[in-house]
């Protein structure tokens, strides 16, 4: 077999392959054997039909077609390996010449990973928000904790903001009560915004036994997005009572003995959260700067597939779970379809470029992923998916997604290397020291996974079987 490579552009090549006919012998034998098992010829036992009889009865062309289809993947793979190509996706194969007993010639066009030069990234500088926790932030956190320990007691008066009402609901669309539009004994805090638009105005001023009717657009269920006539009946009004902010409350709501200790702990927790957010912000901004430094051509077919994948995931998974379609989602977001398409394309390009650049950095820096790092990442992904680690691990293995997780961790480590080399300052001009290597890698992995969401299946180098 002889092969040659022609670069069509930085991300696509054409392989030209010439195969001497004698190299098709194994595939021809396999073709005759396969046809032997599928057909019956009078006078011959099944599986014992001579090749010349198969040629006469079914045509030599059928045998050649079967043999070529069997042989093409092997010769294509050999040509790819010989040229040391890092291919993406399935090739477009064209048989240019097939002469029985002489030769098989074919071409295969396929996308390849572009050659990327990683420049010196040690001069990257970014600015992030300073970690500052104000007294007001601490007071708000303590107040939220206080709200969680509020008690309620029934009152004989009209409902007002902050009260907890027990209500019955009935929704009609076009005068018909919906099968899933009736609910009883629903507990609702007035002003929380957790139910239907317009319900706060409807129930305020009502006492137990009172009812009101209002119009509202349904957020979910069988008539999601439709205007409904909703009848609400109040069966109980209860006032919320907050505990006193004192040492007794601290002992009730935490492991601390005094309110001051509780506030100090709240401040520390807020600082940790802001430090994590600061690290994430640094990684996102360093990544942006890195991508600006590198010229990354994006394969057109890969980009098209990635855009379609992102749209499919949004429409059929995320929006489907919320009972929305794309049109309603765009209406809520206040975007046109053209704006949505432009944003999706931009995000897809960024995701593909991020993966290409960080993969190159993984190779350049010779970064590896050990079992402990992979397990920790799997645990985090399982937690975010709502599955147990065992369930998630089983799904990952069965779906052949282990390389995807390894890739995510490796890219996270590559980004952490760049962040470590960059200069990060906060808005006060102070240099930020992101010195927790383990936490930095974890958050960097999450940043990368967020940016490249949906890209992995498309951009993983693969040697798909070509079809004649």
């Amino acid at each position: 077999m002889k092969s040659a490579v022609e670069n069509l552009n930085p991300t696509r090549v054409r392989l030209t392959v010439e195969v001497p006919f004698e190299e098709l012998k194994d595939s021809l034998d396999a073709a005759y054997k396969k046809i032997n098992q599928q057909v019956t010829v009078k006078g011959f036992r099944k599986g014992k039909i001579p090749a010349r009889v198969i040629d006469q009865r079914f045509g030599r062309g059928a045998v050649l077609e079967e043999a070529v289809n069997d042989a093409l993947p092997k010769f294509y793979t050999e040509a790819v390996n010989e040229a040391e190509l890092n291919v993406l996706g399935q090739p477009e194969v064209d048989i240019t010449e097939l002469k029985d007993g002489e030769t098989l010639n074919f071409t295969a066009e396929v996308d390849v990973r572009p050659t990327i030069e990683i420049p010196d990234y040690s001069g990257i500088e970014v600015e992030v928000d300073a970690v500052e926790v104000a007294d007001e932030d601490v007071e708000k956190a303590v107040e939220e904790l206080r709200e969680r320990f509020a008690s309620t007691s029934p009152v004989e008066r009209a409902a007002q903001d902050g009260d907890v009402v027990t209500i019955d609901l009935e929704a009609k669309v076009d005068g018909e009560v919906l099968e899933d539009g009736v609910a009883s004994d629903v507990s609702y805090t007035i002003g929380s915004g957790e139910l239907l638009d317009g319900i706060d105005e409807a129930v305020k001023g009502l006492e137990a036994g009172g009812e009101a009717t209002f119009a509202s657009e349904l957020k979910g269920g069988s008539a999601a997005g439709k205007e409904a006539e909703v009848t609400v009946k109040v069966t109980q009004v209860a006032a919320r009572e907050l505990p006193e902010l004192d040492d007794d409350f601290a002992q009730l709501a935490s492991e601390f003995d005094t309110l001051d200790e509780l506030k100090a702990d709240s401040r520390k927790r807020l600082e940790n959260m802001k430090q994590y957010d600061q690290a994430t912000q640094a990684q996102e901004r360093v990544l942006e700067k890195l991508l600006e430094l590198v010229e990354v051509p994006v394969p057109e077919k890969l980009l098209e597939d990635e855009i379609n994948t992102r749209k499919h995931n949004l429409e059929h998974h995320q929006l489907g779970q919320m009972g929305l379609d794309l049109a309603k989602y765009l209406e809520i977001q206040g975007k046109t379809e053209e704006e949505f398409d432009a944003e999706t394309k931009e995000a897809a390009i960024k995701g593909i470029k991020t993966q290409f650049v960080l993969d190159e950095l993984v190779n350049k820096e010779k970064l590896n992923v050990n079992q402990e790092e992979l397990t920790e990442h799997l645990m985090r992904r399982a937690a975010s998916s709502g599955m147990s680690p065992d369930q998630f691990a089983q799904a990952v293995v069965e779906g052949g997604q282990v390389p995807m997780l390894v890739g995510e961790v490796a890219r996270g480590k590559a980004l952490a290397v760049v962040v470590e080399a960059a200069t990060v300052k906060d808005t006060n001009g102070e240099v930020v020291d992101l010195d927790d290597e383990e936490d930095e890698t974890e958050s960097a992995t999450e940043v990368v996974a967020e940016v490249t969401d949906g890209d992995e299946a498309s951009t993983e180098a693969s040697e798909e079987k070509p079809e004649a």
Side-chain angles (χ1 to χ4, degrees):
M1 185 196 80
K2 294 193 302 183
S3 64
V5 179
E6 177 186 357
N7 292 314
L8 303 178
N9 60 48
T11 62
R12 193 165 180 84
V13 300
R14 179 188 291 125
L15 284 163
T16 301
V17 183
E18 299 178 9
V19 183
F21 206 81
E22 56 266 23
E23 294 187 31
L24 285 172
K25 182 181 184 306
D26 289 345
S27 294
L28 279 169
D29 292 343
Y32 280 115
K33 185 175 181 179
K34 182 177 180 180
I35 294 173
N36 241 308
Q37 299 300 321
Q38 295 176 336
V39 301
T40 302
V41 176
K42 189 175 181 180
F44 296 97
R45 286 182 297 163
K46 196 173 185 67
K48 300 296 183 179
I49 307 170
R52 59 178 176 77
V53 175
I54 291 177
D55 289 346
Q56 292 169 356
R57 289 294 185 92
F58 306 102
R60 174 71 167 177
V63 179
L64 287 175
E65 181 179 357
E66 181 67 37
V68 169
N69 283 336
D70 175 73
L72 270 179
K74 179 185 70 171
F75 292 125
Y76 166 74
T77 300
E78 286 181 8
V80 166
N81 292 338
E82 184 179 287
E84 297 182 343
L85 298 176
N86 203 341
V87 299
L88 299 168
Q90 188 165 340
E92 295 178 6
V93 176
D94 181 29
I95 297 176
T96 56
E97 186 175 24
L98 175 58
K99 289 186 178 180
D100 194 359
E102 295 183 27
T103 186
L104 163 66
N105 298 337
F106 68 91
T107 63
E109 289 190 14
V110 66
D111 286 333
V112 294
R113 283 180 178 259
T115 300
I116 298 173
E117 294 294 331
I118 303 295
D120 180 15
Y121 48 78
S122 61
I124 291 178
E125 294 186 12
V126 298
E127 184 180 73
V128 295
D129 295 335
V131 174
E132 296 174 342
V133 178
D135 291 342
E136 292 79 3
D137 297 327
V138 177
E139 296 300 330
K140 181 181 178 182
V142 173
E143 190 62 29
E144 289 174 353
L145 181 61
R146 187 185 180 202
E147 291 277 350
R148 286 165 49 191
F149 283 85
S151 59
T152 60
S153 57
V155 293
E156 295 182 2
R157 60 164 173 77
Q160 58 190 32
D161 273 330
D163 285 345
V164 179
V165 290
T166 304
I167 55 178
D168 297 333
L169 294 166
E170 181 184 83
K172 295 181 181 179
V173 173
D174 298 328
E176 297 291 331
V177 178
L178 300 172
E179 289 186 9
D180 56 354
V182 178
S184 300
D185 295 327
V186 176
S187 181
Y188 175 66
T189 301
I190 300 175
S192 66
E194 294 174 352
L195 279 178
L196 300 167
D197 293 337
I199 194 169
D200 288 341
E201 292 75 11
V203 297
K204 277 193 292 189
L206 295 181
E207 297 184 19
E211 67 177 57
T213 300
F214 64 100
S216 183
E217 184 179 294
L218 299 179
K219 296 180 180 179
S222 61
K226 293 185 177 180
E227 190 80 9
E229 180 183 85
V230 182
T231 299
V232 56
K233 180 178 181 181
V234 177
T235 59
Q236 179 180 277
V237 178
R240 299 177 74 249
E241 298 177 0
L242 297 174
E244 291 293 328
L245 279 179
D246 52 22
D247 292 346
D248 289 339
F249 168 70
Q251 294 167 21
L252 170 68
S254 71
E255 70 272 28
F256 301 105
D257 294 326
T258 68
L259 184 60
D260 287 342
E261 290 174 332
L262 173 60
K263 288 183 176 181
D265 181 70
S266 296
R267 183 180 294 277
K268 183 61 177 177
R269 289 174 184 271
L270 290 171
E271 286 176 350
N272 290 339
M273 289 173 56
K274 285 181 176 287
Q275 285 172 348
Y276 186 86
D277 292 342
Q278 185 188 62
T280 300
Q281 190 179 61
Q283 289 149 2
E284 291 171 346
R285 294 183 179 179
V286 167
L287 178 59
E288 292 281 356
K289 292 281 190 179
L290 177 64
L291 295 181
E292 290 174 7
L293 292 176
V294 188
E295 186 68 29
V296 186
V298 175
E300 292 182 10
K301 182 64 168 62
L302 178 64
L303 177 58
E304 179 185 342
D305 290 344
E306 180 54 32
I307 290 172
N308 291 335
T309 296
R310 287 176 179 252
K311 285 184 176 180
H312 178 85
N313 289 342
L314 176 66
E315 290 187 64
H316 298 280
H317 298 294
Q318 300 170 26
L319 297 184
Q321 293 175 356
M322 296 186 287
L324 298 174
D325 58 16
L326 183 59
K328 187 61 184 177
Y329 169 75
L330 294 179
E331 180 184 331
I332 294 172
Q333 294 290 314
K335 296 177 183 175
T336 65
E337 190 168 347
E338 290 74 19
E339 290 171 334
F340 169 74
D341 287 343
E343 289 179 4
T344 303
K345 181 178 180 179
E346 183 180 355
I349 290 173
K350 181 179 180 181
I352 293 170
K353 286 185 174 181
T354 296
Q355 186 170 328
F356 283 167
V357 170
L358 294 181
D359 282 348
E360 186 63 30
L361 265 170
V362 168
N363 294 330
K364 181 179 178 180
E365 301 293 344
K366 296 180 173 56
L367 302 175
N368 296 309
V369 177
N370 60 42
Q371 186 61 49
E372 183 180 355
E373 292 168 333
L374 180 60
T375 300
E376 288 175 356
H377 183 52
L378 186 148
M379 298 282 281
R380 291 194 301 274
R381 286 290 299 269
S384 63
S385 71
M387 301 170 67
S388 72
D390 287 345
Q391 289 174 324
F392 187 79
Q394 182 178 354
V396 165
V397 172
E398 291 178 353
Q401 299 299 300
V402 173
M404 180 194 75
L405 293 184
V406 173
E408 287 180 354
V409 178
R411 294 179 195 112
K413 295 180 74 171
L415 178 56
V417 168
V418 181
V419 173
E420 185 178 355
T423 299
V424 181
K425 293 183 179 181
D426 65 20
T427 49
N428 294 328
E430 299 292 329
V431 174
V432 177
D433 183 16
L434 305 172
D435 57 356
D436 191 328
E437 184 176 337
E438 182 175 340
D439 286 347
E440 186 179 338
T441 299
E442 288 178 7
S443 58
T445 300
E446 292 177 12
V447 167
V448 173
E450 180 71 23
V451 172
T452 60
D453 182 32
D455 297 324
E456 193 75 36
S458 305
T459 57
E460 272 300 310
S462 58
E463 297 179 6
E464 305 258 3
K465 290 185 178 182
E467 298 177 356

